């Protein structure tokens, strides 16, 4: 009995510490994203081949924000779109291969600058490092707009944000902060973080899942996209959701969409969740996205 009381006391103490920690974290990521982005950005060429380049983005203090894969047609159509993608975890250059090449389409794939740690110290630092990487990703996305406009001489009114899966979190926050971007597209994503975390814990017993979600939410609550989605208006929001998505359940997507302001549109695919290994679902999503962009291009 004494050992049990000691264990429960330790658990209560840990919960109290985490709750206190949560009170110290900001609820709005905007100030830190803008601070990291800085007054200007520098793009360093890491690699180049044919129409594809890898750029490293640094702010005016020389701090590395993130890297971005850029694919630009050698002969660009005057009626072009630029799509800045946040494509979820561990996608790298793969997103460039998933989206077919077109002479009217430029793709910039912003990378999430974090890898799972293998050391004990790295695992202890993980909550902090995950937060810093999230800030740097969004700041890097805004810096990508700067580079595309300044160095690539592209019209910011033709730049669109696309967030797929977990990348929908970054695209929502970027879209809320950056008024230069006229359209935000969320693909098989878009839900509040509690719903997303609960869906990611199918094997956690139902009785303790709410507590597990609350604890997991503490270090990342700042980035809950539900807190930002209304700020995308008066710019456009398009959501392409999956009816059988186990990662972003349909009801959570509907609640999230209801919090957005007009102009907005919700479309559905009769599929499960998109992923780079499921090419059939990717094809369905790309077809739906292409139909929308073709129509949007004729009436921007």
């Amino acid at each position: 009995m004494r050992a049990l009381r000691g264990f429960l006391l330790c658990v209560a103490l840990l919960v109290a510490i985490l709750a206190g920690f949560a009170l110290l974290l900001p609820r709005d990521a905007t100030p830190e994203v803008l601070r990291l982005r800085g007054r200007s950005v520098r793009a360093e060429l890491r690699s180049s081949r044919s129409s594809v380049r890898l750029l490293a983005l640094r702010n005016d203090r020389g701090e590395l924000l993130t890297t971005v894969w850029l694919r630009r047609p050698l002969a660009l159509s005057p009626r072009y779109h630029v799509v800045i993608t946040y494509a979820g975890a561990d996608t790298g250059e793969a997103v460039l291969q998933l989206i077919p090449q077109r002479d009217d389409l430029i793709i910039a794939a912003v990378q999430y600058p974090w890898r799972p740690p293998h050391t004990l110290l790295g695992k202890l630092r993980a909550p902090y490092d995950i937060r810093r990487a999230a800030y740097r990703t969004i700041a890097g996305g805004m810096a990508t707009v700067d580079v595309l406009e300044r160095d690539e001489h592209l019209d910011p009114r033709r730049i669109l944000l696309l967030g797929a899966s977990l990348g929908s979190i970054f695209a929502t926050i970027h879209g809320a902060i950056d008024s230069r971007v006229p359209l935000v597209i969320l693909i098989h994503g878009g839900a509040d973080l509690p719903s997303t975390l609960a869906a990611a814990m199918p094997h956690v017993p139902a009785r303790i899942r709410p507590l597990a979600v609350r604890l997991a939410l503490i270090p990342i609550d700042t980035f809950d996209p539900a807190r930002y989605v209304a700020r995308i208006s008066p710019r456009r929001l398009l959501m392409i959701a999956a009816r059988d998505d186990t990662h972003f359940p349909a009801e959570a997507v509907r609640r999230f969409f209801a919090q957005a302001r007009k102009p907005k549109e919700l479309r559905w695919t009769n599929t499960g969740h998109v992923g780079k290994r499921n090419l059939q679902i990717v094809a369905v999503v790309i077809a739906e996205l292409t139909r929308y962009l073709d129509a949007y291009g004729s009436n921007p």
Side-chain angles (χ1 to χ4, degrees), residues 139-151:
M142 295 188 69
T144 299
V145 178
D146 297 330
V147 169
L148 292 172
E149 182 178 7
R150 183 195 67 204
D151 299 347

Side-chain angles (χ1 to χ4, degrees), residues 15 193-195 197-199 201 204-218:
V15 171
L193 276 183
S195 297
L197 289 171
M201 300 179 180
V204 176
R207 288 179 298 177
I208 64 172
R209 193 176 302 154
L211 176 60
V213 167
R214 284 196 292 270
L215 292 177
L217 191 63
I218 288 172

Side-chain angles (χ1 to χ4, degrees), residues 15-27 218-219 221-222:
V15 171
I17 291 172
L18 289 173
F21 179 58
L23 294 176
L24 299 175
L25 296 177
R27 288 179 57 81
I218 288 172
D221 184 56
T222 303

